[in-house]
Amino acid sequence: MSILSVQKATTRYEQNLVFQDLDLDIKKGVVTSIIGPNGCGKSTLLKTIGRILKPKSGKIYLQDQELTTIPTKKIAKHLALLPQNPIAPSELNVEELISYGRYPHLKNINKLTSEDKDIIEWSMEITHTLSFRDRQLHNLSGGQRQKVWLAMALAQKTEIILLDEPTTFLDLAHQLEVLQIIERLNADFHCTIVMVLHDINHAARFSHEIVAMKKGSIVAKGTPAQLITTEILEQVFQIRARVMTDPHNGSPVCYGYESTLPV
Amino acid sequence: MINPERFRYVRILFITILFIFIMIYISLTSGTFDLTIREVFNTLLRLNSSPEHDAVIFDFRLPRILLAGLVGFALGIAGAVVQGITRNGLADPGILGINAGAGAAIVVFMFFFQYQISDTGWQAIMIQPLFGLIGGIVATTLIYFFSWKAGRIEPQRLLLSGIAISSGFGAFTVFLSLKMKATDFEMATVWISGSVYNANWHYILSIFPWLFLLIPIIFRKAYLLDLFQLEETSLKNLGVSVEKEQSILLLSSVGLVSACVSVSGSIGFIGLMSPHIAKQLVGIKHRYALPISGIIGALLVITSDYIAKSIFSPIELPVGIVISIVGVPYFLYLLIKVKK
């Protein structure tokens, strides 16, 4: 069953066409990763699904309701989006920022209920941010900051979470930590996850479904085993990849590649 | 448990209000002829007052102090809102040309209409803020139009187009006032540079409804102003109707500024300085910073007006000029700080 469905969507960014007549179904309770080279439109697709960008034509359905017919505040209770480089005042403290995630649920915007506070507590626990809850944002490392933003998205308590390159600019350990938090959200709390990832191996290891995009269209879609193959990687990224199966967890791994572009 | 932020806010609130009372006391008692505190209290509380004291306090000093306070309060809040929604610490209604737009519209009103209904001057004073509002909205629309790029407002373009529009409207205002009669021209010039010296109770009454209506709207949206410090994608993700809320907040502050301009002319820099001082004192949360910004604004205008009327006494300076003497260096200081 699909929880999100994109039907014949066309989006432009300023004057440039990013994608045209694009169709995509996102299955409920599944982790879907979108991969593709720079400028293929994957971020734009994510923003269109998250109603940050309005499609020029075509429709997006959340469950069975068309996105433009739902009040934006109501959408925010079902769908959270973490942008690529989120910005907040550096003097803001961690817990304060996370509490902003409760905004769509607040009845009285100046007061958090005990339920709100419990959910904020929960999202800090899941994201391991409790230990620096009182710090100001400028005192955090890049990895800590990313987890705080993730916590804010969690505080929205949505069944769908969209993430735009959640691991960019993080070191290896933090990349893995963020992805494991996401994995847990899906496994334990049945969140539907759609994320844009740069790293093919991360996508292979942490997703159930992979969508490969190139030049504004979806080239292939399927399980990691179906998608992470020499043929498809060549078609999408113009690389000649060597792929094997990781004996540790059974997911395909690209362990080396050469460019097919003329030097 | 007492929230430390709240505690700090209440303390600062108390101290700043105390300062305002001290300034009110000084302004009420000293001037061309000094009054004792006993005489002031006797007059205010209607205990054996003399007609001379009544005239000095009720016709001259008190309305002037009150008007200065109200205008400062409104400008401080309007400044905090404009800085909040543009995410630009250098934005100020004066620099953005809202003052100039409102001022030009009011000069148009004075030039064409006021004389025809001069026998009902009372109504003219009440209508003046409305004209100011129209001018303010025209200026704001123009600024938006010029600083809009790719679906968003660019901070640098905003400041630049604001400065351009401000000087455009300013030139128009001077042009029109030059065509006035000599006496009216002098009045208009003093008014344009920002002054409260001809304050009276009608002025206070004419701006009061605006403040009474718009300030609560802004205060209720204090939390949204906090959210506005995030970037647009995060705001939309949280389900904030960005354009709608931005327009409500911007229109409310244009309304406040226009009402102020209609009674006291263009007093700049209050909207720039007060929010910065307030945020230094109580932090960046608007629920605390907005009221403090208003109070700092009031304190600045009351104090500057006292300086304006006493420093070269009996000659008076327009209060706007006194504020600019402090405001210009402060603006430059902020510019340097932003650059770093």
Side-chain angles (χ1 to χ4, degrees):
Chain A
M1 192 203 134
S2 68
I3 190 164
L4 273 169
S5 161
V6 181
Q7 291 180 11
K8 294 214 172 304
T10 301
T11 299
R12 281 166 200 278
Y13 215 72
E14 296 185 31
Q15 252 69 43
N16 308 319
L17 189 71
V18 179
F19 50 78
Q20 194 161 21
D21 293 333
L22 189 134
D23 293 305
L24 178 66
D25 280 319
I26 303 291
K27 289 194 198 106
K28 190 175 176 172
V30 159
V31 178
T32 307
S33 293
I34 307 172
I35 59 169
N38 292 334
C40 69
K42 50 193 193 304
S43 271
T44 308
L45 175 61
L46 199 77
K47 283 185 190 153
T48 308
I49 298 174
R51 56 92 171 77
I52 305 297
L53 295 174
K54 279 202 181 74
K56 264 268 169 293
S57 62
K59 290 190 166 109
I60 291 133
Y61 291 88
L62 173 65
Q63 266 122 7
D64 285 321
Q65 234 185 325
E66 211 228 305
L67 218 49
T68 52
T69 64
I70 317 171
T72 178
K73 207 166 168 177
K74 198 178 163 201
I75 298 176
K77 294 182 191 177
H78 297 279
L79 180 154
L81 179 139
L82 180 57
Q84 204 179 126
N85 288 311
I87 300 164
S90 55
E91 304 96 315
L92 199 66
N93 88 26
V94 166
E95 193 170 351
E96 196 77 36
L97 177 65
I98 298 173
S99 76
Y100 288 174
R102 295 306 297 158
Y103 173 76
H105 299 269
L106 296 182
K107 286 187 185 74
N108 170 359
I109 65 165
N110 289 312
K111 206 165 169 86
L112 296 172
T113 63
S114 60
E115 191 200 345
D116 292 323
K117 286 179 185 153
D118 288 346
I119 292 170
I120 293 166
E121 206 72 23
W122 169 82
S123 46
M124 286 194 286
E125 194 192 307
I126 300 270
T127 53
H128 319 133
T129 48
L130 275 170
S131 57
F132 45 88
R133 62 193 296 173
D134 293 322
R135 265 198 247 169
Q136 293 186 321
L137 293 179
H138 62 90
N139 291 329
L140 302 182
S141 72
Q144 289 172 325
R145 205 170 300 150
Q146 184 66 348
K147 288 190 288 181
V148 169
W149 281 102
L150 187 60
M152 173 180 150
L154 292 196
Q156 272 178 258
K157 260 290 184 182
T158 56
E159 60 263 30
I160 306 169
I161 300 174
L162 311 179
L163 305 128
D164 196 352
E165 297 194 17
T167 56
T168 317
F169 306 125
L170 302 185
D171 60 45
L172 291 177
H174 276 113
Q175 289 182 11
L176 202 64
E177 189 186 1
V178 165
L179 288 167
Q180 278 165 341
I181 293 167
I182 294 166
E183 189 175 40
R184 178 162 175 225
L185 285 170
N186 172 257
D188 296 354
F189 301 97
H190 314 293
C191 290
T192 305
I193 310 277
V194 184
M195 55 184 167
V196 169
L197 284 181
H198 246 317
D199 189 308
I200 303 168
N201 290 337
H202 282 159
R205 178 167 163 193
F206 288 97
S207 14
H208 305 114
E209 283 244 333
I210 296 180
V211 175
M213 282 183 80
K214 191 186 179 183
K215 288 183 187 151
S217 45
I218 291 172
V219 184
K221 190 183 168 212
T223 62
Q226 290 168 330
L227 257 276
I228 307 300
T229 62
T230 309
E231 297 73 43
I232 290 177
L233 291 181
E234 176 161 3
Q235 190 191 349
V236 175
F237 290 100
Q238 294 179 292
I239 53 169
R240 205 168 292 121
R242 295 182 285 278
V243 179
M244 60 175 265
T245 304
D246 184 346
H248 180 66
N249 52 26
S251 54
V253 175
C254 162
Y255 63 93
Y257 58 87
E258 317 304 327
S259 172
T260 62
L261 293 171
V263 181
Chain B
M1 195 185 85
I2 302 167
N3 176 346
E5 269 181 318
R6 196 168 173 80
F7 179 71
R8 183 175 56 172
Y9 166 67
V10 173
R11 201 180 56 194
I12 298 287
L13 192 70
F14 182 77
I15 295 171
T16 44
I17 290 176
L18 189 75
F19 269 112
I20 286 188
F21 276 109
I22 294 171
M23 276 322 294
I24 291 179
Y25 165 72
I26 295 173
S27 303
L28 269 181
T29 49
S30 57
T32 325
F33 80 91
D34 290 344
L35 296 172
T36 64
I37 182 72
R38 176 179 289 274
E39 285 165 335
V40 170
F41 270 106
N42 281 346
T43 312
L44 287 178
L45 300 172
R46 319 301 307 133
L47 309 162
N48 70 46
S49 54
S50 69
E52 302 91 72
H53 290 169
D54 270 8
V56 168
I57 291 195
F58 287 112
D59 293 347
F60 296 107
R61 290 187 189 165
L62 194 59
R64 181 169 176 166
I65 295 166
L66 279 181
L67 192 70
L70 286 175
V71 164
F73 190 74
L75 288 177
I77 287 171
V81 172
V82 171
Q83 290 184 1
I85 54 180
T86 55
R87 296 180 200 93
N88 187 333
L90 294 175
D92 160 76
I95 295 164
L96 290 187
I98 301 172
N99 285 2
I106 291 165
V107 169
V108 168
F109 172 76
M110 283 177 165
F111 191 73
F112 289 106
F113 302 105
Q114 207 174 17
Y115 307 114
Q116 291 154 30
I117 47 171
S118 58
D119 48 344
T120 53
W122 161 241
Q123 283 170 11
I125 289 172
M126 294 304 275
I127 295 171
Q128 228 161 260
L130 260 179
F131 260 79
L133 182 68
I134 296 168
I137 290 174
V138 170
T140 314
T141 317
L142 283 173
I143 297 157
Y144 250 79
F145 178 76
F146 286 116
S147 50
W148 195 266
K149 200 185 171 207
R152 57 173 302 120
I153 295 196
E154 245 185 60
Q156 269 98 351
R157 285 172 89 94
L158 186 77
L159 281 180
L160 285 177
S161 51
I163 290 162
I165 280 161
S166 184
S167 32
F169 276 113
F172 175 72
T173 309
V174 172
F175 172 74
L176 254 195
S177 54
L178 279 172
K179 299 206 161 257
M180 290 177 167
K181 283 178 286 179
T183 48
D184 293 336
F185 169 69
E186 208 186 305
M187 276 282 298
T189 320
V190 172
W191 170 79
I192 289 165
S193 37
S195 70
V196 286
Y197 90 96
N198 54 354
N200 59 47
W201 293 101
H202 284 172
Y203 279 173
I204 291 174
L205 255 171
S206 81
I207 64 166
F208 196 75
W210 295 84
L211 271 60
F212 190 74
L213 200 78
L214 297 173
I215 289 176
I217 294 180
I218 292 171
F219 277 7
R220 282 199 21 210
K221 293 194 182 290
Y223 187 72
L224 267 174
L225 278 169
D226 289 344
L227 293 185
F228 262 103
Q229 305 318 302
L230 308 178
E231 90 294 357
E232 195 142 334
T233 308
S234 294
L235 266 177
K236 283 185 175 167
N237 163 55
L238 288 174
V240 178
S241 316
V242 180
E243 282 86 10
K244 188 184 113 196
E245 301 293 354
Q246 214 167 18
S247 313
I248 294 173
L249 281 164
L250 192 62
L251 266 181
S252 304
S253 38
V254 173
L256 284 181
V257 171
S258 308
C260 292
V261 171
S262 76
V263 293
S264 64
S266 173
I267 296 180
F269 296 108
I270 293 296
L272 177 79
M273 293 191 283
S274 316
H276 280 280
I277 297 171
K279 284 175 186 170
Q280 290 282 326
L281 292 173
V282 294
I284 55 171
K285 271 191 213 161
H286 284 85
R287 133 185 33 142
Y288 302 138
L290 275 179
I292 297 295
S293 182
I295 289 170
I296 297 287
L299 185 61
L300 283 172
V301 180
I302 293 174
T303 311
S304 306
D305 188 47
Y306 175 72
I307 295 171
K309 76 177 179 185
S310 51
I311 191 162
F312 293 126
S313 171
I315 299 164
E316 296 211 358
L317 286 175
V319 61
I321 288 176
V322 175
I323 292 168
S324 299
I325 292 169
V326 193
V328 171
Y330 195 85
F331 180 65
L332 293 175
Y333 156 75
L334 287 176
L335 256 182
I336 293 164
K337 214 176 83 175
V338 165
K339 229 172 90 181
K340 274 179 186 164

